[in-house]
Amino acid sequence: LSNQKFNDLVRAHGAAKVGLLTGDNAINGDAPVVVMTTEVLRNMLYGGSATLDGLGYVVLDEVHYLADRFRGAVWEEVIIHLPESVRVAALSATVSNAEEFGEWLTQVRGGTTVIVDEHRPVPLWQHVLADGHLYDLFVSPNGRGGDSPQVNPDLLRLSRREEQTQRRSPGRPVRGGRRPSRPRPPSRPLVIERLDAAGLLPAITFIFSRAACDAAVRQCLDAGLRLTTPEEAEIITEVARRRTADLPEPDLAVLGYAEWLAGLQRGIAAHHAGLLPTFKEVVEELFEAGLVRVVYATETLALGINMPARTVVIERLDKWNGEAHAALTPGEYTQLTGRAGRRGIDVEGHAVVLWQPGLEPAALAGLAGTRTYPLNSSFRPSYNMAVNLVGQAGLARAAAILESSFAQFQADRAVADVARSAQRGRQELEQLTVTCDRGDFAEYFRLRRNLSELEGDAARQRSAAHRAEAIASLSQLRRGDIIKVPGGRRAGMAVVLDPGVPAPGRRADSLPVPLVLTAGRQVRRLSAADFPVPVQPIDRIRIPNWFSARSPKHRRDLAASVLTRLAGRDKEPPRRRPQAESVAQEEIAALRRRVRAHPCHDCPDRDEHARHAERRARLEREVQRLETTVAGRSHVIARTFQRVCAVLARLGYTDGDRVTDAGRRLACLYTELDLLAAECLRRGLWDGLSPAELAACVSVLTFESRTADAATPVRLPGGPVREVLDATVTVWRELDEIETENRLSFLREPDPGFAWAAHAWACGKPLEYVLGPELTPGDFVRAVKQLMDLLGQVAVAAGRDTPLRSTALKAVDALGHGVVTFSSVEDLPGADATHGTLPT
């Protein structure tokens, strides 16, 4: 997105007036207008960069990223720390609580104007594609675009027909041998053909899977789909070859260049984070030029770049969130469909949802019609943030700064009504007093309540004792025991066929589940729930080995034998007294005597007084609950900051208001595992390593596997890397224990999944050798760039003229080759200016 904005501004204002500063590139950083990431701006603010002198305006595009759990805190840091003279413009299409956000900006930045525009420049129409027919999601009695749209009745009938068919014969043929008719999801090539016939291309189809995006392109190619003319295919080929001309020939084969180009030539492409950045940028360029007509993309396209289409297609309304399949939220749906309708090109945009089994048109209408996307802060103070703030402002001032965060602002607003309720409750408690002319009724009520609590505890103990004895009695049953089931649906006499005692090696808490033959000749599996009291065998009968519970004759004969055996006998087994008696019987009796001896016990208005006292007790409990809630939410950011500072002080990064030398090194490390990186640096874990070995060891702090598969052994390079990684995990465990003691959990476990690839790439191994089945080109390039960024930070933190600084810089150079350095910056306007990795 930064590159796109840079391109747009250069075209508008000229290369000399626009700069670009990201983690990858630095172009014309002293220009009057500079496009940069929030992380770069945050680092400049903490570092006191002279580049910010004279800064007048900061435009925060897509400010709803403030809610992102990984990057959101950076946005709040920028807003809080920008000089008062700087004016801020915050932009977003998915913030429904803009007034609340504006109030916070007023509080921290001064006067703020909130501008809300409900008008969509290009009208958006919602559709559902079912059985090859494109249905409007909304219709109006007065015609399309009326004042009171409602869900299309045809879609509702389609949904009801599917439900009825499913109820009549789920998955089975109906009479006559034909399967029930129900809408089925169309094939991807058919969807494109239907959209093309309706004049709805170009289109972006969102599929929440990288592999499925690539598979969709292959399906279209296999179906012979072609959306371009021969002349357009030639232009596409020339653009693709020009943009990839510097890629080594062997790498092109590894990257699947031929198949990728074949799709482009037919106007079809995939777009997801697993692709090489250059491939994605070519797709974006060709799509914007109208040469690529169909793109299969993951949701990162909707979040990361400006790439509108005439139509957006959504295959499913749920996606895998890493733990389970979760339904799309209204905000996500709006973000995706927001790509439909090109301003200045299309008269209207279209959103098409493909019919899936179980789709509910009313629910889809609610999703499409919701305009509530509250922006909620994800802010929390990190270790790096803490040392930077303490170094600049001291502990007290730093805590006050953090109290001005949007997170605390929202917490205070959310708790304001609760605090008022608690205050009203306290006032009511002061007025609600219970008096008795016989004595202190409050004392009498406390005695009664204590008595009730003791009696309740005793009853629960007796119940637990009964259950324990019942389970113990079940474990003593043997085959042939005749028992009486005390209650429930299986009440009555029964004979045990199998005691159901857990076999050795089963879980210790596994309960006996006896299999019995009831008096009604039914074979049933019982459980502890069928025995609220212990069970005792009444008698015992021999069951022959050849007995079969499946044989009606065997069951009938055994039941008759049991009845004969019990004839004329008392069928009620002697009751055993529970072994466990209440441990508080004497205390209960003593307390009961005190209650009866109290003067208020004989008061004729005792029951009325008790009702008032109980009402007061309930109110007091509610007030205490509310006050606990208020205390838990008030100053929550400051309390977290205090715990962070406690960890830093314990480890020697701070000393009161002073930041130590180790703390100043930590202040240079802007990474998720900042404290772990600082500890590795301080303990000398990385000293004496070669550049490739250092790259492998540092990679565990930046890389995070997309899938956690503990069964697959991690491949590691040889030499000292294994020992250093073991030591890194040991350090992490120590820090994790310290965090636990301070009720924090910031540091995830280091991930060695990229160590071997980082080492091999730094050693100059070819791309084919480095990439594995779980590592896509896009993931690889991104992981290497993140690693290079942290290595640059390590070089700064290590200090001037140190061996580690030299090794870290050599590691950056060793990683910066091949597909990693082949970036779109070469084709950006003004790229002839100095550029390279931005120093931290």
Side-chain angles (χ1 to χ4, degrees):
L1 185 59
S2 296
N3 291 343
Q4 274 197 336
K5 296 298 180 186
F6 177 68
N7 265 310
D8 295 341
L9 291 169
V10 165
R11 280 194 289 265
H13 303 290
K17 294 184 178 180
V18 184
L20 175 67
L21 297 177
T22 68
D24 301 324
N25 305 301
I27 301 174
N28 199 16
D30 295 325
V33 178
V34 181
V35 178
M36 64 178 68
T37 61
T38 46
E39 285 81 2
V40 169
L41 180 55
R42 185 268 314 271
N43 297 356
M44 287 181 167
L45 288 168
Y46 280 147
S49 173
T51 306
L52 301 182
D53 293 344
L55 179 64
Y57 296 86
V58 169
V59 180
L60 296 174
D61 195 13
E62 310 285 3
V63 76
H64 51 263
Y65 263 106
L66 186 144
D68 185 81
R69 59 186 291 253
F70 298 110
R71 298 182 57 201
V74 177
W75 295 73
E76 291 195 46
E77 288 180 85
V78 165
I79 292 172
I80 291 170
H81 294 304
L82 279 172
E84 293 182 7
S85 59
V86 177
R87 301 188 68 180
V88 173
L91 312 177
S92 176
T94 53
V95 174
S96 59
N97 57 334
E99 288 77 8
E100 179 188 34
F101 187 58
E103 288 180 34
W104 174 67
L105 286 174
T106 299
Q107 181 174 296
V108 296
R109 306 286 319 160
T112 300
T113 302
V114 177
I115 303 170
V116 179
D117 186 2
E118 299 287 353
H119 174 70
R120 197 180 197 274
V122 181
L124 177 66
W125 301 112
Q126 308 275 351
H127 311 279
V128 175
L129 183 60
D131 278 349
H133 185 73
L134 202 60
Y135 295 88
D136 286 340
L137 176 59
F138 296 105
V139 296
S140 173
N142 301 323
R144 190 170 180 178
D147 296 331
S148 54
Q150 61 187 25
V151 180
N152 191 334
D154 292 338
L155 285 174
L156 295 174
R157 281 192 290 271
L158 206 63
S159 178
R160 284 195 296 270
R161 189 183 78 191
E162 183 185 69
E163 292 176 4
Q164 292 168 358
T165 303
Q166 183 68 19
R167 282 198 301 268
R168 281 200 305 266
S169 54
R172 294 196 301 268
V174 295
R175 184 176 299 176
R178 297 181 60 188
R179 289 194 173 274
S181 174
R182 67 182 65 174
R184 290 182 297 177
S187 70
R188 286 158 177 157
L190 284 177
V191 171
I192 302 306
E193 290 176 356
R194 180 68 183 83
L195 295 178
D196 193 19
L200 297 182
L201 297 183
I204 300 171
T205 298
F206 285 108
I207 309 176
F208 306 116
S209 162
R210 299 177 179 184
C213 288
D214 294 333
V217 174
R218 287 194 295 272
Q219 290 165 14
C220 291
L221 295 182
D222 292 343
L225 201 61
R226 181 180 291 277
L227 304 173
T228 57
T229 65
E231 292 76 18
E232 290 172 332
E234 288 183 12
I235 297 173
I236 290 170
T237 303
E238 193 279 327
V239 170
R241 287 176 177 169
R242 172 174 55 83
R243 294 293 300 274
T244 60
D246 292 338
L247 279 172
E249 194 68 30
D251 289 354
L252 291 177
V254 177
L255 297 169
Y257 174 81
E259 185 177 13
W260 171 72
L261 181 59
L264 289 178
Q265 290 168 337
R266 297 189 184 190
I268 305 165
H271 189 290
H272 54 74
L275 290 173
L276 190 72
T278 302
F279 283 17
K280 288 194 298 180
E281 289 149 12
V282 171
V283 172
E284 293 160 16
E285 178 182 336
L286 295 174
F287 191 82
E288 187 176 359
L291 295 170
V292 167
R293 270 76 184 233
V294 172
V295 169
Y296 292 98
T298 57
E299 70 269 29
T300 53
L301 182 148
L303 299 173
I305 63 170
N306 180 30
M307 186 171 151
R310 178 170 298 167
T311 302
V312 161
V313 180
I314 300 178
E315 284 201 352
R316 299 182 63 89
L317 296 177
D318 65 325
K319 64 175 183 177
W320 180 256
N321 63 9
E323 297 177 353
H325 283 280
L328 291 181
T329 65
E332 290 170 333
Y333 184 87
T334 299
Q335 192 80 40
L336 297 174
T337 57
R339 299 298 156 197
R342 297 166 296 176
R343 189 180 304 190
I345 300 176
D346 297 321
V347 176
E348 57 190 27
H350 300 268
V352 178
V353 174
L354 303 189
W355 185 278
Q356 295 286 339
L359 186 144
E360 298 180 10
L364 174 58
L367 195 65
T370 299
R371 292 294 176 265
T372 303
Y373 330 110
L375 175 61
N376 296 310
S377 173
S378 62
F379 182 84
R380 67 177 187 179
S382 66
Y383 296 110
N384 170 276
M385 184 193 307
V387 292
N388 274 296
L389 282 175
V390 171
Q392 287 184 356
L395 279 170
R397 175 65 183 143
I401 291 173
L402 293 178
E403 286 277 75
S404 66
S405 67
F406 187 45
Q408 190 59 59
F409 178 83
Q410 288 190 309
D412 290 343
R413 283 174 64 96
V415 84
D417 291 338
V418 180
R420 283 192 291 269
S421 297
Q423 186 177 8
R424 287 194 299 267
R426 277 292 169 202
Q427 293 171 352
E428 189 176 348
L429 276 175
E430 292 174 3
Q431 300 171 0
L432 189 62
T433 58
V434 183
T435 59
C436 178
D437 56 5
R438 299 292 182 94
D440 185 351
F441 197 87
E443 179 188 53
Y444 173 71
F445 184 75
R446 280 195 298 272
L447 291 173
R448 284 180 47 155
R449 190 166 56 186
N450 291 342
L451 178 61
S452 297
E453 291 174 356
L454 279 176
E455 289 175 338
D457 290 342
R460 284 188 289 273
Q461 290 175 5
R462 284 195 297 272
S463 175
H466 276 299
R467 175 171 172 77
E469 289 189 36
I471 294 174
S473 67
L474 285 177
S475 64
Q476 301 300 317
L477 292 178
R478 296 178 296 168
R479 178 179 168 91
D481 281 345
I482 301 172
I483 61 175
K484 182 176 181 180
V485 182
R489 291 182 300 170
R490 301 174 179 85
M493 306 307 297
V495 59
V496 177
L497 303 179
D498 178 8
V501 178
R506 288 281 302 278
R507 286 177 46 182
D509 58 351
S510 298
L511 302 178
V513 282
L515 184 72
V516 301
L517 175 68
T518 68
R521 304 174 190 171
Q522 293 180 321
V523 176
R524 291 288 183 264
R525 182 74 70 177
L526 304 180
S527 69
D530 295 306
F531 296 92
V533 296
V535 61
Q536 291 179 260
I538 300 171
D539 202 339
R540 193 160 184 272
I541 190 170
R542 181 180 174 278
I543 301 177
N545 292 333
W546 42 261
F547 173 83
S548 172
R550 295 184 178 181
S551 168
K553 182 178 185 304
H554 289 187
R555 294 198 304 268
R556 184 172 60 249
D557 291 347
L558 181 58
S561 299
V562 170
L563 291 176
T564 302
R565 189 69 170 263
L566 297 177
R569 177 182 298 208
D570 183 6
K571 299 178 183 178
E572 189 69 33
R575 293 274 185 178
R576 292 190 301 172
R577 291 188 62 188
Q579 297 176 4
E581 297 292 339
S582 173
V583 296
Q585 288 302 322
E586 293 183 6
E587 188 177 354
I588 289 174
L591 191 54
R592 189 177 287 120
R593 288 193 294 270
R594 289 182 61 191
V595 169
R596 290 171 179 168
H598 197 282
C600 293
H601 188 70
D602 296 326
C603 176
D605 299 323
R606 181 186 68 189
D607 292 341
E608 183 180 353
H609 292 168
R611 283 193 295 273
H612 285 291
E614 180 58 40
R615 179 187 169 195
R616 191 182 193 283
R618 283 199 302 270
L619 180 58
E620 188 167 13
R621 288 194 296 270
E622 177 64 13
V623 170
Q624 289 175 349
R625 184 187 67 79
L626 294 174
E627 289 176 342
T628 301
T629 301
V630 172
R633 295 183 184 178
S634 299
H635 308 292
V636 62
I637 301 297
R639 288 201 302 272
T640 304
F641 176 68
Q642 290 169 359
R643 293 197 289 270
V644 167
C645 288
V647 172
L648 294 174
R650 176 172 172 177
L651 293 171
Y653 288 95
T654 59
D655 182 8
D657 283 346
R658 187 179 68 86
V659 176
T660 64
D661 290 341
R664 280 188 284 274
R665 286 193 292 270
L666 172 58
C668 301
L669 299 170
Y670 299 92
T671 178
E672 182 187 2
L673 299 181
D674 47 10
L675 186 59
L676 179 56
E679 280 294 292
C680 291
L681 189 64
R682 184 167 70 167
R683 301 187 190 198
L685 263 61
W686 298 330
D687 293 345
L689 297 175
S690 69
E693 292 166 347
L694 179 62
C697 293
V698 174
S699 73
V700 304
L701 307 182
T702 58
F703 184 75
E704 191 168 7
S705 303
R706 296 182 68 234
T707 57
D709 187 1
T712 304
V714 176
R715 189 177 183 183
L716 295 175
V721 172
R722 295 173 185 267
E723 295 178 7
V724 174
L725 294 186
D726 288 341
T728 302
V729 173
T730 300
V731 173
W732 170 78
R733 290 199 179 102
E734 294 175 10
L735 297 178
D736 186 58
E737 290 179 4
I738 295 173
E739 282 198 320
T740 302
E741 292 172 9
N742 288 275
R743 291 177 294 153
L744 295 172
S745 181
F746 288 179
L747 303 175
R748 63 167 175 82
E749 186 173 359
D751 189 333
F754 193 65
W756 182 87
H759 185 274
W761 188 250
C763 289
K765 300 295 184 183
L767 185 64
E768 182 179 12
Y769 180 79
V770 174
L771 289 183
E774 300 300 324
L775 195 60
T776 65
D779 289 331
F780 172 74
V781 170
R782 184 166 52 257
V784 172
K785 288 189 174 182
Q786 290 172 343
L787 175 56
M788 292 169 66
D789 185 47
L790 182 54
L791 284 168
Q793 297 172 29
V794 169
V796 173
R800 294 183 179 278
D801 303 323
T802 60
L804 181 58
R805 174 185 175 87
S806 175
T807 304
L809 293 176
K810 289 178 181 177
V812 171
D813 291 339
L815 291 168
H817 65 90
V819 294
V820 174
T821 56
F822 186 71
S823 170
S824 62
V825 74
E826 303 295 342
D827 292 300
L828 292 175
D832 54 337
T834 302
H835 65 272
T837 302
L838 181 71
T840 304

